mmCIF file of all heavy atoms in Angstrom:
data_model
loop_
_atom_site.group_PDB
_atom_site.id
_atom_site.type_symbol
_atom_site.label_atom_id
_atom_site.label_comp_id
_atom_site.label_asym_id
_atom_site.label_seq_id
_atom_site.Cartn_x
_atom_site.Cartn_y
_atom_site.Cartn_z
ATOM 1 N N MET U 1199 101.936 85.923 68.118
ATOM 2 C CA MET U 1199 103.085 85.845 67.321
ATOM 3 C C MET U 1199 102.717 85.965 65.738
ATOM 4 O O MET U 1199 103.270 86.680 65.028
ATOM 5 C CB MET U 1199 103.939 84.683 67.582
ATOM 6 C CG MET U 1199 105.289 84.726 67.061
ATOM 7 S SD MET U 1199 106.374 85.901 67.736
ATOM 8 C CE MET U 1199 107.299 84.933 68.891
ATOM 9 N N LEU U 1200 101.775 85.143 65.368
ATOM 10 C CA LEU U 1200 101.359 85.026 63.990
ATOM 11 C C LEU U 1200 100.848 86.411 63.494
ATOM 12 O O LEU U 1200 101.066 86.709 62.339
ATOM 13 C CB LEU U 1200 100.296 83.959 63.819
ATOM 14 C CG LEU U 1200 99.696 83.809 62.442
ATOM 15 C CD1 LEU U 1200 100.739 83.165 61.517
ATOM 16 C CD2 LEU U 1200 98.534 82.874 62.449
ATOM 17 N N LEU U 1201 100.128 87.161 64.295
ATOM 18 C CA LEU U 1201 99.484 88.410 63.805
ATOM 19 C C LEU U 1201 100.369 89.638 63.925
ATOM 20 O O LEU U 1201 100.048 90.694 63.395
ATOM 21 C CB LEU U 1201 98.156 88.564 64.541
ATOM 22 C CG LEU U 1201 97.149 87.450 64.345
ATOM 23 C CD1 LEU U 1201 95.916 87.800 65.130
ATOM 24 C CD2 LEU U 1201 96.854 87.193 62.897
ATOM 25 N N ARG U 1202 101.490 89.501 64.625
ATOM 26 C CA ARG U 1202 102.341 90.654 64.867
ATOM 27 C C ARG U 1202 102.846 91.275 63.569
ATOM 28 O O ARG U 1202 103.430 90.553 62.734
ATOM 29 C CB ARG U 1202 103.526 90.305 65.762
ATOM 30 C CG ARG U 1202 104.378 91.516 66.117
ATOM 31 C CD ARG U 1202 105.558 91.179 66.976
ATOM 32 N NE ARG U 1202 105.290 90.268 68.078
ATOM 33 C CZ ARG U 1202 106.146 89.471 68.602
ATOM 34 N NH1 ARG U 1202 107.442 89.456 68.150
ATOM 35 N NH2 ARG U 1202 105.814 88.688 69.588
ATOM 36 N N LYS U 1204 101.221 92.298 60.979
ATOM 37 C CA LYS U 1204 100.483 91.994 59.781
ATOM 38 C C LYS U 1204 99.514 93.153 59.492
ATOM 39 O O LYS U 1204 99.025 93.873 60.407
ATOM 40 C CB LYS U 1204 99.675 90.694 59.970
ATOM 41 C CG LYS U 1204 100.474 89.505 60.249
ATOM 42 C CD LYS U 1204 101.527 89.177 59.229
ATOM 43 C CE LYS U 1204 102.267 87.892 59.425
ATOM 44 N NZ LYS U 1204 103.249 87.825 60.398
ATOM 45 N N TYR U 1212 91.677 86.986 58.999
ATOM 46 C CA TYR U 1212 92.167 85.828 59.768
ATOM 47 C C TYR U 1212 91.309 85.619 60.997
ATOM 48 O O TYR U 1212 90.957 84.471 61.342
ATOM 49 C CB TYR U 1212 93.593 86.007 60.124
ATOM 50 C CG TYR U 1212 94.175 84.962 60.987
ATOM 51 C CD1 TYR U 1212 94.622 83.745 60.366
ATOM 52 C CD2 TYR U 1212 94.217 85.060 62.359
ATOM 53 C CE1 TYR U 1212 95.085 82.662 61.133
ATOM 54 C CE2 TYR U 1212 94.747 84.007 63.121
ATOM 55 C CZ TYR U 1212 95.140 82.828 62.480
ATOM 56 O OH TYR U 1212 95.627 81.816 63.279
ATOM 57 N N LEU U 1215 88.008 83.963 60.123
ATOM 58 C CA LEU U 1215 88.235 82.618 59.859
ATOM 59 C C LEU U 1215 88.336 81.787 61.218
ATOM 60 O O LEU U 1215 87.699 80.755 61.365
ATOM 61 C CB LEU U 1215 89.529 82.459 59.004
ATOM 62 C CG LEU U 1215 89.926 81.030 58.593
ATOM 63 C CD1 LEU U 1215 90.614 81.098 57.244
ATOM 64 C CD2 LEU U 1215 90.812 80.360 59.606
ATOM 65 N N GLU U 1216 89.108 82.263 62.100
ATOM 66 C CA GLU U 1216 89.340 81.591 63.366
ATOM 67 C C GLU U 1216 88.077 81.501 64.166
ATOM 68 O O GLU U 1216 87.746 80.495 64.819
ATOM 69 C CB GLU U 1216 90.430 82.324 64.183
ATOM 70 C CG GLU U 1216 91.855 82.107 63.743
ATOM 71 C CD GLU U 1216 92.322 80.672 64.052
ATOM 72 O OE1 GLU U 1216 91.800 80.038 65.038
ATOM 73 O OE2 GLU U 1216 93.232 80.231 63.349
ATOM 74 N N GLU U 1226 92.819 71.250 65.830
ATOM 75 C CA GLU U 1226 94.093 71.799 66.251
ATOM 76 C C GLU U 1226 94.580 72.820 65.248
ATOM 77 O O GLU U 1226 94.411 72.695 64.063
ATOM 78 C CB GLU U 1226 95.147 70.625 66.220
ATOM 79 C CG GLU U 1226 94.809 69.556 67.271
ATOM 80 C CD GLU U 1226 95.744 68.388 67.117
ATOM 81 O OE1 GLU U 1226 96.006 67.925 66.005
ATOM 82 O OE2 GLU U 1226 96.348 68.025 68.178
ATOM 83 N N THR U 1227 95.188 73.874 65.792
ATOM 84 C CA THR U 1227 95.816 74.934 64.941
ATOM 85 C C THR U 1227 97.278 75.004 65.317
ATOM 86 O O THR U 1227 97.590 75.256 66.487
ATOM 87 C CB THR U 1227 95.189 76.257 65.181
ATOM 88 O OG1 THR U 1227 93.787 76.166 64.858
ATOM 89 C CG2 THR U 1227 95.749 77.364 64.252
ATOM 90 N N PHE U 1228 98.182 74.798 64.397
ATOM 91 C CA PHE U 1228 99.620 74.908 64.547
ATOM 92 C C PHE U 1228 100.070 76.189 63.751
ATOM 93 O O PHE U 1228 99.735 76.354 62.601
ATOM 94 C CB PHE U 1228 100.330 73.762 64.003
ATOM 95 C CG PHE U 1228 99.975 72.446 64.727
ATOM 96 C CD1 PHE U 1228 99.038 71.657 64.176
ATOM 97 C CD2 PHE U 1228 100.569 72.164 65.901
ATOM 98 C CE1 PHE U 1228 98.609 70.457 64.827
ATOM 99 C CE2 PHE U 1228 100.204 70.921 66.556
ATOM 100 C CZ PHE U 1228 99.278 70.112 66.057
ATOM 101 N N THR U 1229 100.678 77.100 64.538
ATOM 102 C CA THR U 1229 101.209 78.300 63.848
ATOM 103 C C THR U 1229 102.679 78.514 63.950
ATOM 104 O O THR U 1229 103.224 77.980 64.908
ATOM 105 C CB THR U 1229 100.493 79.571 64.458
ATOM 106 O OG1 THR U 1229 100.832 79.648 65.835
ATOM 107 C CG2 THR U 1229 98.910 79.533 64.293
ATOM 108 N N ARG U 1230 103.210 79.169 62.986
ATOM 109 C CA ARG U 1230 104.656 79.464 63.034
ATOM 110 C C ARG U 1230 104.823 80.645 62.071
ATOM 111 O O ARG U 1230 104.452 80.640 60.860
ATOM 112 C CB ARG U 1230 105.423 78.291 62.569
ATOM 113 C CG ARG U 1230 106.876 78.523 62.649
ATOM 114 C CD ARG U 1230 107.664 77.284 62.319
ATOM 115 N NE ARG U 1230 109.016 77.569 62.629
ATOM 116 C CZ ARG U 1230 109.942 76.722 63.038
ATOM 117 N NH1 ARG U 1230 109.543 75.466 63.094
ATOM 118 N NH2 ARG U 1230 111.156 77.063 63.238
ATOM 119 N N GLU U 1231 105.422 81.777 62.636
ATOM 120 C CA GLU U 1231 105.637 82.943 61.875
ATOM 121 C C GLU U 1231 104.505 83.391 61.046
ATOM 122 O O GLU U 1231 103.591 84.022 61.562
ATOM 123 C CB GLU U 1231 106.954 82.746 60.988
ATOM 124 C CG GLU U 1231 108.231 82.569 61.900
ATOM 125 C CD GLU U 1231 109.453 82.252 61.108
ATOM 126 O OE1 GLU U 1231 109.459 82.593 59.845
ATOM 127 O OE2 GLU U 1231 110.374 81.721 61.666
ATOM 128 N N ARG U 1232 104.400 83.048 59.801
ATOM 129 C CA ARG U 1232 103.341 83.496 58.923
ATOM 130 C C ARG U 1232 102.410 82.405 58.371
ATOM 131 O O ARG U 1232 101.739 82.466 57.430
ATOM 132 C CB ARG U 1232 103.884 84.294 57.757
ATOM 133 C CG ARG U 1232 104.887 83.600 56.893
ATOM 134 C CD ARG U 1232 105.468 84.526 55.840
ATOM 135 N NE ARG U 1232 106.110 83.761 54.832
ATOM 136 C CZ ARG U 1232 105.568 83.646 53.573
ATOM 137 N NH1 ARG U 1232 104.529 84.254 53.173
ATOM 138 N NH2 ARG U 1232 106.228 82.886 52.666
ATOM 139 N N TYR U 1233 102.490 81.224 59.053
ATOM 140 C CA TYR U 1233 101.861 80.005 58.562
ATOM 141 C C TYR U 1233 100.937 79.415 59.664
ATOM 142 O O TYR U 1233 101.319 79.429 60.803
ATOM 143 C CB TYR U 1233 102.977 78.968 58.206
ATOM 144 C CG TYR U 1233 102.502 77.656 57.717
ATOM 145 C CD1 TYR U 1233 102.129 77.483 56.361
ATOM 146 C CD2 TYR U 1233 102.408 76.592 58.587
ATOM 147 C CE1 TYR U 1233 101.702 76.291 55.949
ATOM 148 C CE2 TYR U 1233 101.936 75.314 58.102
ATOM 149 C CZ TYR U 1233 101.562 75.169 56.849
ATOM 150 O OH TYR U 1233 101.175 73.980 56.300
ATOM 151 N N ALA U 1234 99.767 78.883 59.231
ATOM 152 C CA ALA U 1234 98.910 78.172 60.185
ATOM 153 C C ALA U 1234 98.423 76.878 59.486
ATOM 154 O O ALA U 1234 98.081 76.910 58.322
ATOM 155 C CB ALA U 1234 97.723 79.022 60.510
ATOM 156 N N LEU U 1235 98.430 75.824 60.214
ATOM 157 C CA LEU U 1235 97.921 74.511 59.756
ATOM 158 C C LEU U 1235 96.738 74.165 60.637
ATOM 159 O O LEU U 1235 96.795 74.177 61.840
ATOM 160 C CB LEU U 1235 99.055 73.465 59.890
ATOM 161 C CG LEU U 1235 98.641 72.053 59.676
ATOM 162 C CD1 LEU U 1235 98.279 71.815 58.137
ATOM 163 C CD2 LEU U 1235 99.669 71.062 60.081
ATOM 164 N N TYR U 1236 95.679 73.726 60.043
ATOM 165 C CA TYR U 1236 94.400 73.321 60.710
ATOM 166 C C TYR U 1236 94.275 71.837 60.493
ATOM 167 O O TYR U 1236 94.295 71.388 59.373
ATOM 168 C CB TYR U 1236 93.258 74.111 60.118
ATOM 169 C CG TYR U 1236 93.445 75.595 60.271
ATOM 170 C CD1 TYR U 1236 93.897 76.314 59.182
ATOM 171 C CD2 TYR U 1236 93.224 76.221 61.503
ATOM 172 C CE1 TYR U 1236 94.092 77.702 59.291
ATOM 173 C CE2 TYR U 1236 93.473 77.581 61.595
ATOM 174 C CZ TYR U 1236 93.845 78.347 60.488
ATOM 175 O OH TYR U 1236 94.120 79.660 60.621
ATOM 176 N N ARG U 1237 94.071 71.123 61.631
ATOM 177 C CA ARG U 1237 93.940 69.641 61.437
ATOM 178 C C ARG U 1237 93.152 69.053 62.561
ATOM 179 O O ARG U 1237 92.832 69.675 63.533
ATOM 180 C CB ARG U 1237 95.297 68.983 61.361
ATOM 181 C CG ARG U 1237 96.123 69.267 62.595
ATOM 182 C CD ARG U 1237 97.364 68.528 62.631
ATOM 183 N NE ARG U 1237 97.086 67.161 63.090
ATOM 184 C CZ ARG U 1237 97.912 66.140 63.165
ATOM 185 N NH1 ARG U 1237 99.176 66.336 62.693
ATOM 186 N NH2 ARG U 1237 97.588 65.006 63.661
ATOM 187 N N ARG U 1240 93.865 64.415 60.379
ATOM 188 C CA ARG U 1240 94.512 64.895 59.125
ATOM 189 C C ARG U 1240 94.350 66.357 59.017
ATOM 190 O O ARG U 1240 93.393 66.921 59.457
ATOM 191 C CB ARG U 1240 93.963 64.186 57.920
ATOM 192 C CG ARG U 1240 94.349 62.799 57.658
ATOM 193 C CD ARG U 1240 93.775 62.397 56.401
ATOM 194 N NE ARG U 1240 94.262 61.027 56.148
ATOM 195 C CZ ARG U 1240 94.805 60.637 54.935
ATOM 196 N NH1 ARG U 1240 94.911 61.502 53.975
ATOM 197 N NH2 ARG U 1240 95.200 59.450 54.720
ATOM 198 N N GLY U 1241 95.199 66.996 58.211
ATOM 199 C CA GLY U 1241 95.048 68.402 57.920
ATOM 200 C C GLY U 1241 93.835 68.622 57.036
ATOM 201 O O GLY U 1241 93.606 67.818 56.199
ATOM 202 N N PHE U 1242 93.129 69.748 57.263
ATOM 203 C CA PHE U 1242 91.976 70.029 56.321
ATOM 204 C C PHE U 1242 92.262 71.398 55.736
ATOM 205 O O PHE U 1242 91.514 71.725 54.755
ATOM 206 C CB PHE U 1242 90.671 69.989 57.065
ATOM 207 C CG PHE U 1242 90.467 70.889 58.280
ATOM 208 C CD1 PHE U 1242 89.971 72.189 58.047
ATOM 209 C CD2 PHE U 1242 90.742 70.459 59.528
ATOM 210 C CE1 PHE U 1242 89.804 72.993 59.169
ATOM 211 C CE2 PHE U 1242 90.539 71.335 60.603
ATOM 212 C CZ PHE U 1242 90.078 72.547 60.414
ATOM 213 N N ALA U 1243 93.226 72.115 56.166
ATOM 214 C CA ALA U 1243 93.529 73.425 55.522
ATOM 215 C C ALA U 1243 94.866 73.971 56.037
ATOM 216 O O ALA U 1243 95.360 73.569 57.122
ATOM 217 C CB ALA U 1243 92.429 74.460 55.802
ATOM 218 N N ASP U 1244 95.498 74.829 55.247
ATOM 219 C CA ASP U 1244 96.570 75.606 55.737
ATOM 220 C C ASP U 1244 96.486 76.987 55.157
ATOM 221 O O ASP U 1244 95.838 77.246 54.180
ATOM 222 C CB ASP U 1244 97.991 74.887 55.461
ATOM 223 C CG ASP U 1244 98.273 74.829 53.984
ATOM 224 O OD1 ASP U 1244 98.484 75.863 53.312
ATOM 225 O OD2 ASP U 1244 98.300 73.718 53.466
ATOM 226 N N LEU U 1245 97.189 77.907 55.872
ATOM 227 C CA LEU U 1245 97.057 79.313 55.623
ATOM 228 C C LEU U 1245 98.434 79.944 55.629
ATOM 229 O O LEU U 1245 99.213 79.657 56.564
ATOM 230 C CB LEU U 1245 96.086 80.005 56.555
ATOM 231 C CG LEU U 1245 95.873 81.456 56.377
ATOM 232 C CD1 LEU U 1245 94.387 81.793 56.549
ATOM 233 C CD2 LEU U 1245 96.719 82.249 57.426
ATOM 234 N N VAL U 1246 98.713 80.840 54.720
ATOM 235 C CA VAL U 1246 99.994 81.572 54.685
ATOM 236 C C VAL U 1246 99.689 83.063 54.564
ATOM 237 O O VAL U 1246 98.932 83.423 53.638
ATOM 238 C CB VAL U 1246 100.961 81.092 53.601
ATOM 239 C CG1 VAL U 1246 102.202 81.903 53.566
ATOM 240 C CG2 VAL U 1246 101.202 79.628 53.683
ATOM 241 N N PHE U 1247 100.197 83.864 55.444
ATOM 242 C CA PHE U 1247 100.153 85.308 55.294
ATOM 243 C C PHE U 1247 101.059 85.720 54.193
ATOM 244 O O PHE U 1247 102.273 85.483 54.249
ATOM 245 C CB PHE U 1247 100.546 86.008 56.618
ATOM 246 C CG PHE U 1247 99.412 86.297 57.525
ATOM 247 C CD1 PHE U 1247 99.083 85.304 58.482
ATOM 248 C CD2 PHE U 1247 98.676 87.463 57.443
ATOM 249 C CE1 PHE U 1247 97.987 85.554 59.328
ATOM 250 C CE2 PHE U 1247 97.635 87.740 58.353
ATOM 251 C CZ PHE U 1247 97.262 86.780 59.237
ATOM 252 N N MET U 1248 100.533 86.330 53.112
ATOM 253 C CA MET U 1248 101.353 86.874 52.060
ATOM 254 C C MET U 1248 101.368 88.387 52.212
ATOM 255 O O MET U 1248 100.703 88.954 53.075
ATOM 256 C CB MET U 1248 100.716 86.476 50.639
ATOM 257 C CG MET U 1248 100.467 84.956 50.513
ATOM 258 S SD MET U 1248 101.913 83.934 50.552
ATOM 259 C CE MET U 1248 102.552 84.202 48.876
ATOM 260 N N ARG U 1249 102.093 89.067 51.362
ATOM 261 C CA ARG U 1249 102.121 90.509 51.481
ATOM 262 C C ARG U 1249 100.769 91.167 51.201
ATOM 263 O O ARG U 1249 100.492 92.123 51.910
ATOM 264 C CB ARG U 1249 103.178 90.991 50.440
ATOM 265 C CG ARG U 1249 103.515 92.412 50.564
ATOM 266 C CD ARG U 1249 104.669 92.784 49.667
ATOM 267 N NE ARG U 1249 105.857 92.027 50.067
ATOM 268 C CZ ARG U 1249 106.711 91.545 49.119
ATOM 269 N NH1 ARG U 1249 106.568 91.696 47.823
ATOM 270 N NH2 ARG U 1249 107.711 90.872 49.528
ATOM 271 N N GLY U 1251 97.681 89.298 50.898
ATOM 272 C CA GLY U 1251 96.457 88.480 51.189
ATOM 273 C C GLY U 1251 96.796 87.246 51.971
ATOM 274 O O GLY U 1251 98.012 87.025 52.256
ATOM 275 N N LEU U 1252 95.799 86.439 52.235
ATOM 276 C CA LEU U 1252 95.996 85.146 52.883
ATOM 277 C C LEU U 1252 95.817 84.031 51.934
ATOM 278 O O LEU U 1252 94.763 83.990 51.242
ATOM 279 C CB LEU U 1252 94.952 84.960 54.053
ATOM 280 C CG LEU U 1252 94.914 86.103 55.118
ATOM 281 C CD1 LEU U 1252 93.775 85.860 56.039
ATOM 282 C CD2 LEU U 1252 96.196 86.209 55.808
ATOM 283 N N ARG U 1253 96.806 83.263 51.722
ATOM 284 C CA ARG U 1253 96.672 82.115 50.822
ATOM 285 C C ARG U 1253 96.161 80.949 51.552
ATOM 286 O O ARG U 1253 96.861 80.473 52.566
ATOM 287 C CB ARG U 1253 98.071 81.742 50.224
ATOM 288 C CG ARG U 1253 98.059 80.637 49.304
ATOM 289 C CD ARG U 1253 99.587 80.173 49.016
ATOM 290 N NE ARG U 1253 99.611 78.877 48.431
ATOM 291 C CZ ARG U 1253 99.513 77.719 49.217
ATOM 292 N NH1 ARG U 1253 99.325 77.757 50.493
ATOM 293 N NH2 ARG U 1253 99.582 76.597 48.580
ATOM 294 N N LEU U 1254 94.984 80.516 51.258
ATOM 295 C CA LEU U 1254 94.276 79.455 52.035
ATOM 296 C C LEU U 1254 94.182 78.228 51.075
ATOM 297 O O LEU U 1254 93.577 78.314 50.046
ATOM 298 C CB LEU U 1254 92.874 79.900 52.440
ATOM 299 C CG LEU U 1254 92.112 78.880 53.181
ATOM 300 C CD1 LEU U 1254 92.736 78.562 54.558
ATOM 301 C CD2 LEU U 1254 90.624 79.406 53.434
ATOM 302 N N ALA U 1255 94.792 77.149 51.561
ATOM 303 C CA ALA U 1255 94.677 75.855 50.847
ATOM 304 C C ALA U 1255 93.745 74.924 51.628
ATOM 305 O O ALA U 1255 93.876 74.802 52.821
ATOM 306 C CB ALA U 1255 96.019 75.202 50.763
ATOM 307 N N ILE U 1256 92.702 74.434 50.907
ATOM 308 C CA ILE U 1256 91.624 73.655 51.542
ATOM 309 C C ILE U 1256 91.756 72.312 50.909
ATOM 310 O O ILE U 1256 91.808 72.166 49.704
ATOM 311 C CB ILE U 1256 90.310 74.276 51.274
ATOM 312 C CG1 ILE U 1256 90.208 75.723 51.861
ATOM 313 C CG2 ILE U 1256 89.156 73.413 51.881
ATOM 314 C CD1 ILE U 1256 89.011 76.520 51.434
ATOM 315 N N TYR U 1257 91.632 71.234 51.782
ATOM 316 C CA TYR U 1257 91.695 69.848 51.264
ATOM 317 C C TYR U 1257 90.284 69.218 51.294
ATOM 318 O O TYR U 1257 89.746 68.981 52.395
ATOM 319 C CB TYR U 1257 92.649 69.039 52.172
ATOM 320 C CG TYR U 1257 93.996 69.737 52.328
ATOM 321 C CD1 TYR U 1257 94.326 70.301 53.563
ATOM 322 C CD2 TYR U 1257 94.801 69.966 51.286
ATOM 323 C CE1 TYR U 1257 95.528 71.004 53.751
ATOM 324 C CE2 TYR U 1257 96.011 70.629 51.424
ATOM 325 C CZ TYR U 1257 96.354 71.168 52.605
ATOM 326 O OH TYR U 1257 97.564 71.806 52.835
ATOM 327 N N MET U 1273 95.965 65.691 45.333
ATOM 328 C CA MET U 1273 97.073 65.333 46.258
ATOM 329 C C MET U 1273 97.166 63.769 46.425
ATOM 330 O O MET U 1273 98.271 63.253 46.611
ATOM 331 C CB MET U 1273 96.849 65.920 47.643
ATOM 332 C CG MET U 1273 96.973 67.436 47.615
ATOM 333 S SD MET U 1273 96.684 68.175 49.263
ATOM 334 C CE MET U 1273 97.968 67.398 50.234
ATOM 335 N N ARG U 1277 91.926 63.111 48.062
ATOM 336 C CA ARG U 1277 92.114 64.436 48.578
ATOM 337 C C ARG U 1277 92.566 65.374 47.439
ATOM 338 O O ARG U 1277 93.537 65.170 46.815
ATOM 339 C CB ARG U 1277 93.200 64.428 49.734
ATOM 340 C CG ARG U 1277 92.657 63.677 50.883
ATOM 341 C CD ARG U 1277 93.669 63.505 52.022
ATOM 342 N NE ARG U 1277 94.214 64.714 52.560
ATOM 343 C CZ ARG U 1277 93.675 65.356 53.596
ATOM 344 N NH1 ARG U 1277 92.506 65.027 54.040
ATOM 345 N NH2 ARG U 1277 94.238 66.427 54.060
ATOM 346 N N ILE U 1279 93.325 69.451 46.639
ATOM 347 C CA ILE U 1279 93.688 70.704 47.207
ATOM 348 C C ILE U 1279 93.057 71.875 46.375
ATOM 349 O O ILE U 1279 93.039 71.798 45.140
ATOM 350 C CB ILE U 1279 95.219 70.958 47.293
ATOM 351 C CG1 ILE U 1279 95.498 72.197 48.065
ATOM 352 C CG2 ILE U 1279 95.853 70.923 45.959
ATOM 353 C CD1 ILE U 1279 96.991 72.375 48.423
ATOM 354 N N VAL U 1281 93.092 76.126 46.304
ATOM 355 C CA VAL U 1281 93.753 77.248 46.872
ATOM 356 C C VAL U 1281 93.079 78.557 46.410
ATOM 357 O O VAL U 1281 92.771 78.749 45.275
ATOM 358 C CB VAL U 1281 95.274 77.255 46.297
ATOM 359 C CG1 VAL U 1281 96.003 78.338 47.017
ATOM 360 C CG2 VAL U 1281 95.936 75.866 46.569
#
Side-chain angles (χ1 to χ4, degrees):
M1199 192 68 101
L1200 177 68
L1201 301 179
R1202 187 182 312 155
K1204 303 300 189 283
Y1212 178 80
L1215 182 149
E1216 285 287 336
E1226 297 173 308
T1227 301
F1228 298 96
T1229 61
R1230 185 173 187 151
E1231 296 176 19
R1232 58 187 197 107
Y1233 180 82
L1235 170 68
Y1236 303 98
R1237 59 173 276 172
R1240 284 187 175 227
F1242 60 90
D1244 65 67
L1245 178 137
V1246 178
F1247 270 89
M1248 308 296 281
R1249 191 171 298 141
L1252 303 177
R1253 180 192 161 279
L1254 180 65
I1256 301 170
Y1257 311 110
M1273 292 180 57
R1277 292 174 61 85
I1279 188 170
V1281 185

